[in-house]
Amino acid sequence: MDRIRVRGGRRLEGEIEISGAKNATLPLMIASLLSAERLTLENVPHLADVTLLARILRNHGVDIAMEGKRSGAPPHPGETYHLEAREIVDTTAPYDLVAKMRASFWVLGPLLARCHEARVSMPGGCAIGTRPVDLYLMGLSELGAEIDVEGGYVVARAPGGLRGGRIIFPKVSVGATICVMMAASLARGETVIENAAREPEVGDVARCLQAMGARIDGIDTGTLTIAGVSSLGAARHAVLPDRIETGTYAMAVAATGGDVLLKGARAELLEAALDVLERAGVAIKPEDGAIRVRRNDVPLQPVDVETRPFPGFPTDLQAQLMALMTRAAGTSTIRETIFENRFMHVQELVRLGANITLQGDLATVRGVAQLKGAPVMATDLRASVSLVIAGLAAEGETIINRVYHLDRGFENLERKLGNCGAVIERLSS
Ligand code: UD1
């Protein structure tokens, strides 16, 4: 298994190109199941999760072609994918594929809407809490689906097709909102989704569906109104920039000190995180199509933060913020309100010399003068990258094991950081 070696203590200086958002790319690819015509996606990041989802979609009959690259073109500056689901050949999403990536469960909505039946394995994905699927099932039942759980599979049927309905989600869920919105776009009549997730990736998917011919109102708000249509057509859509990748590199610069231009980043996608960084003493300057992040020798100030659905501070940046706060001049508190058990990085950060105590959903981080490199291991995507950030700021060498987690969600991480002066390399085994 590959590992990453980081030698800490270097400031980051230079430019980092922000990739297309993983969390938008995955549902956008899934949206191709809704139409018999071609969906072209631009700015698709080169990630293990994207490759895996392509496999899953091919299984259902989606024809996927990647536009060829000219020789000499830089590696993976955003690929163009053409996806065409002329005919759905299989409405089952099997365990061995879905168990590897939770988002593949979202095929349930489009398959059900288009084929009136679907059989999808209960999901796997990052080990961050129980992550149930009750909200998906509730939403799709409201659209008239009959749902059973049999042998670890969700079996959904809508013999006469889905119909519009009114769904009031008791809890904000990105996945359930996307899944039900996709299904409703091909249902008969109008659907209203209340307490919908407002994450920018949900809006990106909604805009792509609109380009395919869906009729959706209230995009980027908590109430989505969808007038179902009988079929969707072809479209071309560019994936929005990855706000989690943006925030991650911003925190890396904050941790090491330095001055980096995050090219292609959009500040309005992560205001809450940028505000937290400013409170911590980091200079943030949105520029034309980019964000400049700078920290000189000013010490980091501690912060008190709670994760929240968008527009609040994202849970996907919680681990990275914690890595940053390990070196603040004082005590920070970080409360995780979205996922239970999303603190697996804590023990590993402690191995690097951090002083963190946990009490339920609250982490108290007492800043230390220096972290010291060590071998560490992570069990999920965002936790792994928090260890990279801590390693960059630590004295000496840090070896991060189980790099496959990083490859699921961060495109060219070593190259992007290495170009800014970090000493980071992959050790293949
Ligand atoms: C998505 C993101 C993930 C991010 C999360 C929250 C993708 C591929 N993944 O995950 O990176 O951390 O949003 O911003 O986009 N819940 C239920 N019942 C359900 C569904 C969810 O109780 O049926 C709960 C979850 O356990 C969690 C909360 O709702 O406590 C939010 O989860 P959700 O927004 O659904 O996360 P995902 O869509 O899986």
Side-chain angles (χ1 to χ4, degrees):
M1 245 183 275
D2 286 5
R3 294 169 298 157
I4 281 185
R5 177 162 62 200
V6 179
R7 283 187 218 281
R10 297 286 193 93
R11 295 166 74 81
L12 294 175
E13 309 272 351
E15 292 182 355
I16 294 178
E17 191 90 42
I18 297 303
S19 299
K22 170 181 88 80
N23 284 356
T25 302
L26 301 179
L28 286 166
M29 290 171 71
I30 290 173
S32 68
L33 290 169
L34 289 164
S35 168
E37 291 178 46
R38 177 180 282 202
L39 174 62
T40 297
L41 297 177
E42 295 168 1
N43 200 30
V44 173
H46 184 69
L47 297 170
D49 270 8
V50 170
T51 311
L52 176 61
L53 182 60
R55 261 180 67 199
I56 294 172
L57 293 176
R58 283 194 179 103
N59 223 36
H60 294 300
V62 185
D63 184 48
I64 303 178
M66 267 166 66
E67 226 158 74
K69 290 250 172 275
R70 280 170 293 121
S71 64
H76 314 304
E79 312 276 11
T80 297
Y81 272 50
H82 302 282
L83 303 102
E84 212 170 292
R86 199 158 285 285
E87 195 188 343
I88 305 289
V89 296
D90 193 343
T91 53
T92 295
Y95 171 77
D96 56 327
L97 293 176
V98 181
K100 291 192 184 126
M101 186 188 18
R102 183 175 168 86
S104 57
F105 182 74
W106 304 353
V107 300
L108 180 64
L111 287 177
L112 181 61
R114 184 156 161 207
C115 307
H116 304 177
E117 58 165 49
R119 194 168 160 268
V120 180
S121 169
M122 302 283 275
C126 282
I128 46 174
T130 47
R131 303 184 90 177
V133 294
D134 54 320
L135 301 176
Y136 297 77
L137 304 193
M138 180 201 124
L140 295 173
S141 305
E142 284 295 327
L143 300 185
E146 296 153 17
I147 298 179
D148 292 304
V149 177
E150 293 167 7
Y153 280 76
V154 172
V155 181
R157 294 183 194 86
L162 294 173
R163 49 162 165 76
R166 187 182 182 83
I167 294 132
I168 306 174
F169 280 126
K171 186 171 187 176
V172 176
S173 162
V174 173
T177 301
I178 288 177
C179 184
V180 173
M181 172 173 73
M182 289 195 286
S185 64
L186 282 185
R188 251 178 301 112
E190 186 180 272
T191 298
V192 178
I193 306 177
E194 306 256 25
N195 202 22
R198 287 181 283 160
E199 268 65 5
E201 294 76 21
V202 179
D204 205 39
V205 175
R207 287 187 181 87
C208 177
L209 292 174
Q210 273 186 330
M212 293 165 75
R215 292 170 53 205
I216 306 177
D217 274 342
I219 297 179
D220 295 331
T221 74
T223 304
L224 293 170
T225 305
I226 302 148
V229 294
S230 56
S231 66
L232 294 174
R236 176 177 276 270
H237 180 85
V239 180
L240 92 172
D242 196 315
R243 65 195 166 99
I244 303 303
E245 190 195 28
T246 305
T248 299
Y249 289 126
M251 289 191 202
V253 179
T256 60
D259 185 338
V260 171
L261 187 69
L262 301 174
K263 288 174 73 179
R266 279 168 46 192
E268 75 275 16
L269 302 181
L270 70 162
E271 294 288 357
L274 296 178
D275 283 354
V276 167
L277 284 173
E278 284 186 320
R279 270 193 275 143
V282 181
I284 303 286
K285 191 161 162 262
E287 294 183 3
D288 192 24
I291 304 174
R292 182 171 294 284
V293 182
R294 193 157 15 98
R295 183 169 76 81
N296 295 324
D297 295 324
V298 289
L300 281 166
Q301 295 307 305
V303 292
D304 297 310
V305 171
E306 238 179 58
T307 60
R308 286 276 163 209
F310 192 83
F313 186 91
T315 173
D316 284 351
L317 286 173
Q318 179 256 106
Q320 298 89 316
L321 178 68
M322 195 175 304
L324 178 62
M325 285 301 124
T326 59
R327 301 218 22 236
T331 300
S332 304
T333 58
I334 301 178
R335 192 180 292 280
E336 173 57 58
T337 73
I338 308 289
F339 291 110
E340 56 192 85
N341 191 23
R342 201 177 199 179
F343 281 137
M344 273 96 60
H345 43 287
V346 168
Q347 281 318 309
E348 301 302 302
L349 289 171
V350 167
R351 288 171 58 78
L352 297 171
N355 180 344
I356 306 171
T357 48
L358 279 182
Q359 211 179 9
D361 62 1
L362 184 74
T364 303
V365 188
R366 294 179 178 81
V368 295
Q370 190 54 270
L371 297 176
K372 291 209 167 62
V376 287
M377 182 174 306
T379 45
D380 82 62
L381 169 59
R382 313 303 179 184
S384 315
V385 85
S386 78
L387 299 174
V388 173
I389 293 177
L392 290 171
E395 225 170 53
E397 183 176 291
T398 296
I399 304 272
I400 297 136
N401 291 288
R402 299 205 177 167
V403 171
Y404 60 86
H405 286 297
L406 285 173
D407 295 336
R408 286 188 40 217
F410 288 90
E411 184 177 38
N412 289 327
L413 177 97
E414 309 97 273
R415 190 173 58 80
K416 288 184 181 188
L417 287 169
N419 284 348
C420 291
V423 182
I424 177 166
E425 65 178 325
R426 181 177 292 248
L427 308 171
S428 298
S429 53

